[in-house]
């Protein structure tokens, strides 16, 4: 009883109409619209022999009990960024529901293994800047002390917003209890980038999520009058920062999948008649290979020191955040490739630049893999985010294939 792509697409379109507007999706976590989306999803469970509950971090679990307690988990997230797209996150949850329904019919309500769906709470971090909130609590990598005092643009603290939806921030670590009996985790997601479209391919196998090194880099020079200070006498902090902004492109291009981004630049005093005496920047570097990531960080630091010296400035680095590269399970990568090849002639392997809940699941030691479907124009987190309907249909079919292959693989694994 294969999963029906038409049902998935119809449900996605229904969710878009219910929780979006002319600017895009509005399912920001811990808001009324997010709760509306979850209530809508609950209505889709009618008639299925499943149990639904929320864990201590607000993750929503749907369980179809099987002969064995060992479980296959299919998941993603219903929340969106403000003015987001119609597929980011929710594609994985809605597809998971259709696959669970198909398994229930195929096995008369009792599959050989337990099948579970998870809708992770606040994957995006759009409101409080804390991405992967629910899945990090599940994985045991949460940071309650730091998260407690996060505030949104209206001054609402994260801890208070959680209380309003029935979550006690001091108990979110109890979500780790859900890890018991999980044998594998699968996630379907739009690519959110241009690689598959550029290759003319609908589907891709995700090798893992790139590691991230994120730093604040501050150049200190000397403020001076822009009209009276000769060029040779200047100590221009922006000049040093600008040279680094160009150099990180050269550094990244040495490695096929690496990226480096200077995403924020603030100058002081920030007026047209003064040379910049202080320039605060941020640098984000990513790669799936830990050695490549370390090399890029070292080269960027060396370059910053060189440019600072040449511009007669100083430079200081401070870490904002980092996470190690997280490779996915080798056998599940093979199964994902085989599932795609049942559906379409080519299966491209690629890393994920963005982080995903799947990375936190893998960090918890659970065999994990992701499947990507092509994103038109490589655009996501935007109302124009889209994927061809034919490609969505292929994705549902291939992901259904992957789930079946994973259940078969679980039969050979020790309990």
């Amino acid at each position: 009883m294969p999963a029906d792509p038409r049902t998935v697409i119809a449900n996605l379109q229904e969710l878009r109409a219910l929780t979006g507007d002319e600017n895009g999706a509005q399912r920001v976590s811990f808001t009324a619209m997010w709760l509306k989306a979850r209530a809508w999803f609950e209505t889709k469970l009618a008639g299925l022999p499943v149990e639904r509950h929320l864990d201590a971090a607000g993750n929503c679990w749907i369980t179809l009990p099987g002969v064995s307690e060992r479980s296959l988990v299919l998941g993603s997230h219903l929340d969106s960024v403000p003015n987001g797209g119609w597929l980011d996150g929710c594609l994985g949850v809605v597809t998971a529901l259709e696959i669970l329904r198909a398994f229930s019919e195929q096995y008369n309500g009792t599959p050989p293994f337990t099948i579970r769906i998870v809708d992770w709470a606040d994957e995006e971090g759009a409101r409080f800047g804390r991405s992967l909130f629910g899945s990090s609590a599940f994985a045991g990598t949460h940071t309650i002390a730091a998260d407690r005092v996060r505030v949104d643009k209206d001054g609402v603290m994260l801890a208070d917003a959680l209380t309003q939806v029935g979550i006690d921030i001091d108990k979110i670590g109890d979500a780790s209890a859900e890890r018991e009996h999980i044998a594998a985790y699968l996630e379907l997601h739009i690519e959110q980038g241009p690689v598959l479209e550029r290759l003319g391919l609908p589907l891709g196998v995700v090798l893992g999520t790139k590691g991230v090194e994120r730093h604040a880099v501050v150049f200190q020079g000397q403020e001076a009058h822009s009209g009276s200070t000769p060029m040779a006498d200047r100590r221009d902090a922006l000049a040093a920062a600008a040279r680094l902004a160009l150099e990180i492109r050269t550094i990244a291009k040495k490695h096929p999948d690496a990226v480096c981004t200077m995403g924020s630049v603030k100058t002081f005093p920030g007026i047209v008649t003064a040379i910049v005496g202080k320039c605060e920047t941020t640098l984000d570097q990513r790669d799936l290979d830990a050695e490549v990531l370390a090399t890029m960080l070292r080269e960027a630091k060396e370059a910053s020191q060189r440019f600072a010296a040449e511009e007669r400035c100083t430079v200081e680095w401070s870490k904002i955040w980092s996470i190690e590269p997280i490779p996915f399970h080798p056998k599940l990568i093979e199964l994902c490739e085989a599932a795609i090849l049942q559906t379409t002639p080519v299966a491209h392997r690629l890393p994920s630049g963005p982080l995903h809940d799947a990375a936190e699941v893998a960090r918890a030691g659970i065999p994990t893999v992701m499947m990507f479907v092509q994103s038109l124009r490589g655009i996501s987190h935007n109302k124009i985010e889209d994927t061809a309907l034919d490609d969505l249909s292929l994705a549902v079919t291939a992901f259904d294939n992957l789930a079946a292959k994973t259940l078969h693989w679980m039969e050979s694994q020790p309990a």
Side-chain angles (χ1 to χ4, degrees):
M1 305 292 292
D4 185 357
R6 295 170 299 179
T7 299
V8 172
I9 292 171
N11 283 339
L12 288 167
Q13 291 170 335
E14 184 179 328
L15 180 62
R16 174 169 58 177
L18 183 70
T19 60
D21 57 25
E22 67 276 9
N23 297 312
Q26 306 299 337
R27 300 183 303 275
V28 177
S29 282
F30 315 128
T31 66
M33 192 64 78
W34 176 66
L35 295 174
K36 186 177 184 178
R38 283 193 152 185
W40 168 86
F41 188 72
E42 187 172 5
T43 68
K44 298 299 177 179
L45 305 177
L48 290 171
V50 296
E51 177 268 337
R52 175 188 181 274
H53 74 274
L54 302 180
D55 68 22
N59 302 309
C60 181
W61 295 87
I62 314 298
T63 301
L64 173 65
V67 175
S68 171
E69 287 186 307
R70 294 177 64 219
S71 62
L72 169 63
V73 179
L74 314 173
S76 195
H77 58 98
L78 285 178
D79 71 296
S80 75
V81 297
N83 305 327
W86 73 295
L87 297 170
D88 181 4
C90 58
L91 169 63
V93 180
V94 174
T95 300
L97 175 59
E98 174 58 14
I99 291 174
L100 181 145
R101 181 205 58 77
F103 277 135
S104 180
E105 291 187 8
Q106 180 181 353
Y107 294 104
N108 295 316
T110 309
F113 295 96
T114 296
I115 310 296
R116 305 183 76 193
I117 299 171
V118 59
D119 166 25
W120 300 107
D122 200 8
E123 190 269 0
E124 298 288 4
R127 184 176 172 189
F128 294 97
R130 201 312 181 202
S131 300
L132 310 181
F133 174 82
S135 56
S136 69
F138 164 90
T141 59
H142 53 284
T143 53
I144 293 175
D147 294 338
R148 183 191 309 280
V149 295
R150 293 180 184 273
V151 296
D152 67 9
K153 61 182 178 61
D154 298 316
V156 177
M157 294 182 66
L158 174 55
D160 294 335
L162 293 176
T163 298
Q164 291 174 7
V165 295
I167 301 171
D168 182 344
I169 194 169
D170 290 307
K171 296 180 179 179
I172 62 172
D174 293 347
S176 63
E178 303 293 339
R179 300 203 301 253
E180 189 175 11
H181 304 307
I182 297 179
Y185 175 80
L186 311 177
E187 184 170 327
L188 173 64
H189 208 281
I190 57 171
E191 182 196 349
Q192 302 180 279
V195 174
L196 292 175
E197 184 181 47
R198 187 172 66 240
L199 295 172
L201 300 175
L203 303 171
V205 183
V206 185
L207 296 170
T209 58
K210 293 179 181 180
V212 181
E213 285 285 354
R214 194 170 296 161
H215 289 79
V217 187
V218 180
F219 292 89
Q220 185 74 54
Q222 177 63 60
E223 296 175 16
H225 196 289
S226 62
S228 60
T229 309
M231 299 303 290
D233 294 323
R234 299 185 176 209
R235 297 174 57 201
D236 190 337
L238 178 57
R243 294 176 69 181
L244 179 62
L246 295 176
E247 183 66 18
I248 61 171
R249 297 163 63 91
T250 300
I251 290 171
K253 287 177 181 178
K254 297 176 184 178
H255 313 285
D257 295 312
V259 291
C260 295
T261 306
M262 189 175 284
S264 174
V265 178
K266 297 179 182 178
T267 62
F268 301 88
I271 59 175
V272 70
T273 55
I275 296 164
V276 174
K278 181 180 181 181
C279 186
E280 298 178 350
T281 72
T282 59
L283 178 60
D284 182 291
Q285 299 178 293
R286 306 187 188 212
D287 196 82
L288 189 59
D289 187 312
E291 291 187 8
V292 168
L293 193 59
T295 296
M296 293 198 304
L297 176 58
R298 174 179 53 78
E299 291 180 352
K301 286 184 175 181
E302 291 172 351
S304 73
Q305 292 161 357
R306 183 169 69 253
F307 298 143
E310 291 173 358
E311 299 293 339
R312 299 194 301 151
C313 298
T314 61
V315 63
E316 292 185 359
W317 285 63
S318 58
K319 178 175 284 191
I320 298 173
W321 179 75
S322 66
I323 188 171
E324 70 276 13
I326 302 172
F328 290 150
H329 194 275
K331 182 59 180 180
L332 293 185
I333 288 173
E334 291 180 14
L335 294 181
C336 187
E337 183 171 75
I340 291 174
L341 291 175
Q342 277 185 247
T343 314
T344 187
V346 179
H348 181 67
R349 297 186 176 196
L350 72 166
S352 173
L355 294 170
H356 293 280
D357 293 308
E360 291 290 347
V361 179
R363 290 178 82 185
I366 295 168
T368 297
V369 77
M370 292 183 71
M371 181 185 294
F372 275 167
V373 61
Q374 184 192 120
S375 292
L376 294 175
R377 300 175 297 275
I379 298 294
S380 183
H381 286 194
N382 187 303
K383 67 179 182 179
I384 69 169
E385 167 191 290
D386 205 5
T387 294
L389 295 184
D390 286 347
D391 287 351
L392 288 177
S393 295
L394 289 173
V396 173
T397 299
F399 198 66
D400 191 22
N401 292 341
L402 173 59
K405 289 178 181 298
T406 304
L407 283 182
H408 181 71
W409 171 73
M410 286 166 57
E411 292 176 354
S412 66
Q413 300 305 297

